[in-house]
Amino acid sequence: MSDCFVHASDLHLDAPLGSLGLLTEARRRDLAERAAKAWDNLVDLCLEREASFLVLAGDIFDDAQAGVAVQIRFHNGLRRLTDDGVQVFVCHGNHDPLSEGFRPIGDLPDGVVRFAPGAPQSHRVTLRESGDVVLVSGVSFGQRSETENLALRFRSTDRHPGAPHVAVLHANVGGHSGHDPYAPCSYDDLTAAPVDYWALGHIHKRDVRPLPNGSRAAYCGNLQGRSFKPAECEPKGALVVPIVGDHFGEPEFVSCDAVRFERSEIVVESSDSIVDVRDRVVEAAHSIGEDHSPRPVAWHARITGALEEARWLQDSVADGEFVGEIEDELSTALGGGGLCRLELAVRTPVDRQAVLGSGDLFADVVERLQQLRQGSTGASDGTGPAEETTGSEDVDDLLLEGLPSGLHGVWREIREQHPDRLATAIDLAEQLLLVIYAGAQESRP
């Protein structure tokens, strides 16, 4: 095989899975045990690709006080790697800083380097296939709340002539929202350092981008998804980076996760019965299970749309009848996972005539919208008077009273600047008002 190395990060080996809601305790334990195998899958990947080395860019453990059992599991994987000639470089991040209570169970196997806090440390690696040399530099967090720009420290690292340079860093580059600003830095800071590949950790969403100087900065994402956050609901794993002479090739993503988290939406129609909804849910589960096979899937489903039996469905979900009846079938379809959360966003359908007959504000607005629609249609085909395109003067007042405040500016812009879009805007406004009306009716005792 050609020379390569593997880049992984944010293993969080001792972190529990997030809320699995509707699952039984037995299924929760089973998924937790399966998720722990993601580390074994990463080790297998390194061995299968005959990688020269593995870099782990921080947050190996979810807590600095990692327990004995999880550290033993980590050590067992390291031994498998080093026994096969794979060197390993480990940096620690904000979850497992080296000076805040971290107690290693013993020395790391020969062939494993744990970067210390402070100045970046550099090591030369001789590649398996070509015998060429790669320089690997890295630094660990010494404290959880690392506020210093650690990327600046890599500017002083020495280069080995003809050897491409990998830098291992746990940091928030570019101010990613949703993540604490630990070791904050910019992509310009990375570009300024003599580094060819930045093996980054901390951000759980995968992101590989070229830098202006020809190098790459890569977040490989976390090894195993653990919740229904958007960044967790995608394949998780590591990057395999080819090494060609004095440069690195395009990284290849390979999934290593043992449990997949998935969110999806199921749209129902007003004519659907409860049985139809059940069939739609089961069908969606089978499709998702096939997409992610052989991994079990932890599933968050959201049902949307208008349904005549919306209230009945809501009641059956609330008391557990709906899910209980199909729980085992869903688990089988999802490869041993299951439906963890079921969110309902269904409403009772409301027709225009029912609203017009109510005699309230909604009826006034819908009636005026009908008049405005007729004027707009007539103007568009040249059969109606131009002044009708604006409708009666109080339509705006009614709309601004009936529509959410966030849509007021949008409505005015369409009326004033885009009269050609008026008919479409009217249809959308009416649909929104009918939804609001349905919600108002259902909320009444």
Side-chain angles (χ1 to χ4, degrees):
M1 282 193 172
S2 58
D3 288 319
C4 70
F5 76 92
V6 176
H7 167 202
S9 180
D10 296 273
L11 280 58
H12 297 278
L13 294 180
D14 49 345
L17 297 181
S19 173
L20 299 178
L22 300 173
L23 297 190
T24 63
E25 187 60 34
R27 286 201 175 104
R28 294 182 189 186
R29 287 196 302 269
D30 179 62
L31 288 183
E33 291 171 1
R34 295 200 197 193
K37 297 185 182 300
W39 165 236
D40 299 322
N41 294 342
L42 174 61
V43 172
D44 291 341
L45 171 64
C46 294
L47 299 180
E48 290 167 2
R49 295 299 184 93
E50 298 181 2
S52 292
F53 59 95
L54 164 68
V55 296
L56 299 175
D59 287 356
I60 313 305
F61 306 108
D62 195 58
D63 194 306
Q65 299 181 1
V68 171
V70 70
Q71 289 200 57
I72 288 177
R73 188 163 70 246
F74 183 53
H75 273 243
N76 289 341
L78 294 177
R79 286 198 182 98
R80 287 181 60 203
L81 291 167
T82 55
D83 286 348
D84 195 69
V86 180
Q87 297 186 60
V88 184
F89 296 90
V90 181
C91 91
H92 286 242
N94 56 288
H95 275 268
D96 54 0
L98 288 179
S99 62
E100 291 189 8
F102 182 71
R103 296 177 59 187
I105 60 173
D107 294 335
L108 294 173
D110 291 340
V112 179
V113 172
R114 174 180 279 140
F115 293 116
Q121 304 106 60
S122 298
H123 300 265
R124 293 174 181 149
V125 180
T126 301
L127 302 180
R128 287 178 178 240
E129 185 69 22
S130 65
D132 293 337
V133 173
V134 169
L135 188 67
V136 181
S137 302
V139 63
S140 285
F141 278 28
Q143 57 185 351
R144 178 178 294 271
S145 298
E146 178 58 74
T147 58
E148 186 178 343
N149 184 342
L150 299 181
L152 299 180
R153 300 181 183 180
F154 286 84
R155 294 186 180 184
S156 60
T157 53
D158 294 328
R159 299 206 65 158
H160 184 79
H165 186 189
V166 179
V168 188
L169 177 65
H170 196 81
N172 189 332
V173 185
H176 282 263
S177 60
H179 291 268
D180 292 317
Y182 297 133
C185 59
S186 67
Y187 283 99
D188 288 341
D189 295 329
L190 304 188
T191 303
V195 172
D196 300 292
Y197 182 95
W198 286 91
L200 302 171
H202 185 48
I203 306 303
H204 287 194
K205 181 122 179 118
R206 190 167 59 257
D207 181 18
V208 180
R209 63 178 67 189
L211 298 180
N213 64 351
S215 63
R216 285 186 179 88
Y219 281 111
C220 58
N222 48 330
L223 188 67
Q224 169 63 59
R226 298 184 183 277
S227 73
F228 292 105
K229 293 179 180 179
E232 303 285 318
C233 294
E234 62 182 16
K236 296 294 181 179
L239 295 173
V240 178
V241 185
I243 308 170
V244 185
D246 61 354
H247 69 279
F248 300 111
E250 184 70 27
E252 173 196 356
F253 171 75
V254 180
S255 59
C256 298
D257 51 349
V259 176
R260 190 68 50 80
F261 282 76
E262 179 70 22
R263 300 173 65 108
S264 62
E265 185 171 292
I266 301 166
V267 180
V268 298
E269 300 175 357
S270 59
S271 59
D272 284 341
S273 65
I274 298 293
V275 171
D276 293 330
V277 176
R278 174 222 184 264
D279 291 344
R280 289 181 186 272
V281 172
V282 172
E283 181 182 359
H286 278 283
S287 177
I288 291 170
E290 291 172 1
D291 288 343
H292 299 294
S293 179
R295 294 172 182 79
V297 178
W299 187 31
H300 178 170
R302 184 173 187 263
I303 302 177
T304 65
L307 191 69
E308 292 288 353
E309 298 176 338
R311 182 62 62 85
W312 193 6
L313 177 63
Q314 291 164 355
D315 292 342
S316 67
V317 169
D319 62 23
E321 286 186 352
F322 183 86
V323 175
E325 189 272 331
I326 57 176
E327 179 181 6
D328 291 338
E329 186 175 4
L330 293 179
S331 181
T332 300
L334 295 166
L339 178 62
C340 301
R341 299 182 188 178
L342 181 59
E343 180 184 351
L344 290 181
V346 295
R347 58 180 174 83
T348 303
V350 179
D351 61 52
R352 184 183 293 106
Q353 295 307 315
V355 176
L356 290 172
S358 66
D360 57 11
L361 171 64
F362 289 100
D364 290 342
V365 175
V366 171
E367 183 176 357
R368 296 302 177 88
L369 281 173
Q370 287 184 341
Q371 297 172 2
L372 189 57
R373 180 188 291 105
Q374 293 170 356
S376 172
T377 303
S380 65
D381 61 14
T383 61
E387 60 268 17
E388 286 187 359
T389 61
T390 59
S392 52
E393 294 179 357
D394 57 349
V395 167
D396 276 339
D397 294 335
L398 283 168
L399 276 173
L400 298 183
E401 196 172 345
L403 287 174
S405 59
L407 296 177
H408 292 181
V410 176
W411 174 258
R412 288 195 179 101
E413 180 181 355
I414 292 174
R415 288 288 307 274
E416 296 171 3
Q417 301 180 23
H418 302 285
D420 56 310
R421 302 178 188 172
L422 187 57
T424 300
I426 292 169
D427 289 338
L428 292 174
E430 182 174 298
Q431 292 173 26
L432 179 59
L433 286 168
L434 291 177
V435 171
I436 296 172
Y437 178 84
Q441 294 298 103
E442 291 181 357
S443 65
R444 294 177 182 175

